[in-house]
Amino acid sequence: MFDVVVVGAGLSGLQAAYSAQKAGLSVVILEARDRVGGKVWSVPLASKRGTADMGAAWVNDRLQKRVWSFIEQFGLQVVKQRLDGKAVMQTEDGDRIVYPYGITPEFTPAEKKNLEFIRDHIQAASLRPERPSPENDNVTLDQYVRNLGACPKTVQMVNVWSRVMHGLESTEQSAAWFIDYCRRNRGLLSVRADDETGGNHLRISTGAQQIPNGLAHLLGSSNIHLSSPVASIEDHRSHVTITTTTGRTFVGKKCIISLPSTMYRDLNISPPLPAPLQEVANSTLLGHYNKAIVCYDRPWWRDLGYNGFIMSYKGPVIVGRDTSVDENGFYALTCFVNGREGEKWAKLYPHERRRVVLEQLAAMYDVGLDSEVYRPIEFFEQIWKHEPYSKGALAPVTALGHYTKFDSVYGKPVGNLHFVGTEFSTEWKGYMEGALCSGEQGAKGVVEALRRQSPRAVL
Ligand SMILES: Cc1cc2nc3c(=O)[nH]c(=O)nc-3n(C[C@H](O)[C@H](O)[C@H](O)COP(=O)(O)OP(=O)(O)OC[C@H]3O[C@@H](n4cnc5c(N)ncnc54)[C@H](O)[C@@H]3O)c2cc1C
């Protein structure tokens, strides 16, 4: 019998297993995919110029201590996000607004003032150390900003934030959930920032997958069973049995489940989870969170004075960034095709998806058919909704009212079952750092529970 069986080898599961192992516990991880990392996945370029990050990419050296300590431990090189140059914004009608990156787009003075008022209001709310209120949890983010007097351009900008951050519309999440997400991540501005104050500051030159791969190496590959989807979990009070779809059964004193809560229903847990936990988990939403990564021989947009940052109210690309690794000759624009626009885009044929992305880039950079925009050397796309073991991204968002109503059960242990995942993190929720933080906390919970039964484990 293992001390702990961990379901899922994403970053939260890997960290939970690693922390438990360091505390002296015996661990095994069961992972459905044929690789570790979950929503961290770096795919090699055919041109051998490096890898494309289909999931997580950006990190911060000063603000994300767990991620950063692995980057140092594994000796990984990072690239700073390019900020110099002009950014481009596209309005709902397709008009272009070119503006210096980092300031509010050149709307009319009244629209600018309105946007800055709402932004500052949410920023201030997200810096106040308060508990999310049921009142704000029962109102959508969209309605919340309208109630504050947001004008149409501001309402659309808030929707861009919502799409980029969670792959959902601002009508699909509560104001309390959104503000608390920002609170756990150092405030709205920090979530949105591409400089050293935010979550989009640095990228790992050889791909973010190096972190889960390194963690798996530390854990020992014999302790990780890949291609082993868990089919059922039975908590017998004295122990837990976990059975995979391949017919293998693992027995543990405790089980740590690291799947997004939206997917608990796939695990056939018995006895069934308590009704309130089922209600909150079954109602969480995973967003339409897609990437199109367009790779070029040259960073042609820089020649035109742009830094590669684009933002659109029209879509389907909502936000894009330069994700080149210059020293490898790898030049790329990573486009997020999220929210409702992403849902529509995902239904197109692959060649149509590629066409609409290239056409939008051409329109936003105001270049014609003879432009290099139409001559990518490689084109990657990733639709996380289509992944059976992810079913969407970024992280589950609770239904209206549920975040406060089910606070006492959401993410809390049940019998011998413990839950981890970036969605439960108290810091950098939704990020790799959040997954590591939650994994650490989950392992601590298991160690303490086992210590109450036997004094052997110490963390
Ligand atoms: C497009 C995109 C961009 C992102 N950008 C960033 C970024 O720039 N910076 C950042 O920090 N974060 C980013 N993130 C978020 C980051 O990837 C996640 O927060 C983090 O990886 C989540 O880790 P997790 O362990 O909580 O969940 P997951 O990674 O979802 O791990 C869950 C694991 O469970 C496995 N699993 C599922 N079902 C079963 C089953 N039945 N049996 C066994 N195993 C199962 C899955 O295969 C997976 O490995 C991004 C995510 C996406 C999708």
Side-chain angles (χ1 to χ4, degrees):
M1 181 176 348
F2 292 96
D3 289 321
V4 197
V5 179
V6 178
V7 182
L11 278 180
S12 64
L14 287 167
Q15 178 66 63
Y18 183 51
S19 297
Q21 193 187 56
K22 279 206 297 188
L25 303 184
S26 60
V27 298
V28 66
I29 305 192
L30 308 176
E31 165 57 46
R33 289 177 162 104
D34 60 1
R35 61 171 178 85
V36 298
K39 290 193 285 276
V40 185
W41 187 30
S42 310
V43 171
L45 268 70
S47 54
K48 309 262 186 286
R49 298 182 197 194
T51 57
D53 278 317
M54 315 303 272
W58 282 273
V59 296
N60 187 298
D61 52 344
R62 279 194 312 117
L63 307 177
Q64 299 178 335
K65 63 175 190 218
R66 297 172 185 84
V67 159
W68 190 250
S69 87
F70 282 129
I71 288 173
E72 288 194 318
Q73 185 177 349
F74 303 147
L76 307 177
Q77 301 300 313
V78 290
V79 189
K80 208 187 255 184
Q81 190 56 34
R82 281 183 72 85
L83 300 177
D84 297 342
K86 298 174 284 184
V88 189
M89 144 115 227
Q90 187 181 44
T91 65
E92 201 181 11
D93 305 326
D95 294 337
R96 301 169 71 237
I97 302 176
V98 176
Y99 65 105
Y101 179 76
I103 66 156
T104 315
E106 291 301 325
F107 299 148
T108 66
E111 287 169 339
K112 262 178 98 164
K113 199 167 158 211
N114 184 268
L115 173 57
E116 285 168 2
F117 164 71
I118 298 290
R119 181 200 65 194
D120 293 348
H121 174 95
I122 295 183
Q123 169 70 357
S126 65
L127 292 181
R128 276 196 297 275
E130 336 180 301
R131 291 175 73 78
S133 75
E135 191 193 345
N136 288 343
D137 199 22
N138 281 297
V139 63
T140 66
L141 175 62
D142 175 81
Q143 193 57 52
Y144 179 84
V145 296
R146 286 177 196 271
N147 292 348
L148 288 170
C151 71
K153 280 255 176 24
T154 302
V155 168
Q156 286 174 311
M157 181 63 90
V158 172
N159 200 31
V160 166
W161 296 341
S162 171
R163 286 173 166 183
V164 171
M165 287 156 64
H166 308 123
L168 294 168
E169 304 297 297
S170 54
T171 49
E172 293 178 295
Q173 58 189 298
S174 81
W177 191 94
F178 182 85
I179 293 169
D180 195 58
Y181 180 89
C182 296
R183 183 176 293 124
R184 290 173 186 229
N185 298 338
R186 296 176 167 252
L188 172 68
L189 295 184
S190 186
V191 179
R192 305 290 326 118
D194 286 12
D195 62 13
E196 67 283 357
T197 64
N200 304 318
H201 180 38
L202 307 167
R203 281 172 292 112
I204 299 162
S205 312
T206 42
Q209 178 101 36
Q210 299 277 346
I211 301 177
N213 287 353
L215 248 172
H217 182 72
L218 291 177
L219 259 162
S221 57
S222 60
N223 297 315
I224 305 172
H225 295 260
L226 299 176
S227 305
S228 303
V230 168
S232 64
I233 299 177
E234 270 184 89
D235 187 349
H236 307 278
R237 300 187 81 172
S238 57
H239 65 282
V240 190
T241 52
I242 295 105
T243 306
T244 65
T245 57
T246 54
R248 292 193 66 185
T249 296
F250 295 80
V251 183
K253 291 179 188 161
K254 299 282 174 194
C255 175
I256 296 181
I257 297 174
S258 77
L259 275 58
S261 58
T262 322
M263 296 166 72
Y264 294 166
R265 67 185 109 177
D266 299 346
L267 292 176
N268 297 309
I269 298 173
S270 70
L273 293 174
L277 181 51
Q278 282 194 51
E279 189 177 344
V280 61
N282 289 347
S283 316
T284 53
L285 281 182
L286 282 163
H288 296 274
Y289 211 98
N290 310 314
K291 267 186 180 180
I293 305 174
V294 198
C295 311
Y296 293 97
D297 254 332
R298 276 177 4 89
W300 52 265
W301 55 95
R302 294 185 199 161
D303 297 349
L304 303 173
Y306 298 106
N307 65 10
F309 184 85
I310 56 171
M311 179 175 19
S312 173
Y313 285 176
K314 185 166 179 250
V317 176
I318 304 303
V319 157
R321 290 188 176 87
D322 182 330
T323 50
S324 308
V325 182
D326 291 25
E327 66 263 30
N328 295 348
F330 169 35
Y331 300 102
L333 291 171
T334 290
C335 303
F336 289 87
V337 199
N338 292 5
R340 197 160 292 152
E341 294 302 324
E343 184 179 6
K344 286 190 249 163
W345 182 75
K347 289 182 182 147
L348 300 175
Y349 287 112
H351 68 277
E352 291 173 328
R353 288 200 285 265
R354 179 182 148 117
R355 175 180 58 75
V356 295
V357 167
L358 297 185
E359 282 177 357
Q360 186 179 347
L361 287 175
M364 291 196 72
Y365 286 115
D366 197 22
V367 292
L369 276 175
D370 56 341
S371 158
E372 284 172 84
V373 78
Y374 288 108
R375 295 198 294 279
I377 55 165
E378 300 193 36
F379 184 95
F380 293 87
E381 56 170 36
Q382 173 66 8
I383 298 167
W384 286 93
K385 273 271 177 206
H386 290 179
E387 294 272 324
Y389 299 117
S390 292
K391 299 191 173 166
L394 192 72
V397 175
T398 51
L400 227 56
H402 282 192
Y403 196 49
T404 49
K405 184 175 173 195
F406 295 115
D407 178 45
S408 61
V409 294
Y410 181 53
K412 306 293 186 302
V414 175
N416 288 311
L417 309 183
H418 292 244
F419 301 93
V420 299
T422 194
E423 72 186 281
F424 302 123
S425 184
T426 46
E427 47 186 292
W428 292 103
K429 170 175 172 159
Y431 289 72
M432 293 187 277
E433 177 75 7
L436 297 175
C437 174
S438 171
E440 231 175 64
Q441 289 170 350
K444 207 167 166 193
V446 163
V447 169
E448 278 162 12
L450 284 174
R451 192 187 281 143
R452 284 194 291 273
Q453 293 166 222
S454 119
R456 185 164 68 87
V458 268
L459 192 67

